[in-house]
């Protein structure tokens, strides 16, 4: 059935296992950010390959906003793989999408 599709504009959460910087909470929660401007799920743009996560704007953290590096290999939006719950930013497994659409899934 696939995983729930991730939506941008800070709609879905991203769990970050590693915060960078002095006094940066570890772990911390941030959100999805960049997304498609014309492919929507539940009224919000979908997260796609390379779209950036919201910067870690927490006191003591070094700002970072890596692009989505794991995504669907079979479903795309605007020619880019679709982001889903469980996919990650940065390629190291440290920024995992932890929520998604309640009624739209992608394999």
């Amino acid at each position: 059935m696939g995983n729930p599709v991730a939506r941008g504009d800070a709609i879905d959460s991203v769990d970050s296992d590693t915060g960078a910087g002095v006094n940066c909470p570890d772990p911390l929660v941030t959100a999805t950010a960049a997304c498609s401007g014309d492919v929507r799920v539940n009224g919000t743009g979908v997260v796609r390959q390379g779209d950036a996560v919201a910067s870690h704007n927490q006191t003591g953290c070094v700002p970072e906003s890596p692009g989505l590096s794991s995504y669907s290999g079979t479903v795309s939006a605007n020619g880019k793989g679709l982001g889903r719950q469980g996919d990650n930013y940065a390629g190291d497994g440290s920024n995992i999408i932890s929520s998604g659409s309640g009624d739209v899934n992608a394999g």
Side-chain angles (χ1 to χ4, degrees), residues 64-98:
E64 67 168 343
S65 55
L68 188 68
S69 58
S70 70
Y71 41 83
S72 174
T74 58
V75 181
S76 63
N78 310 113
K80 300 177 179 181
L82 197 67
R84 306 151 300 171
Q85 183 176 345
D87 287 337
N88 85 84
Y89 293 88
D92 60 4
S94 65
N95 295 280
I96 307 293
I97 299 173
S98 57

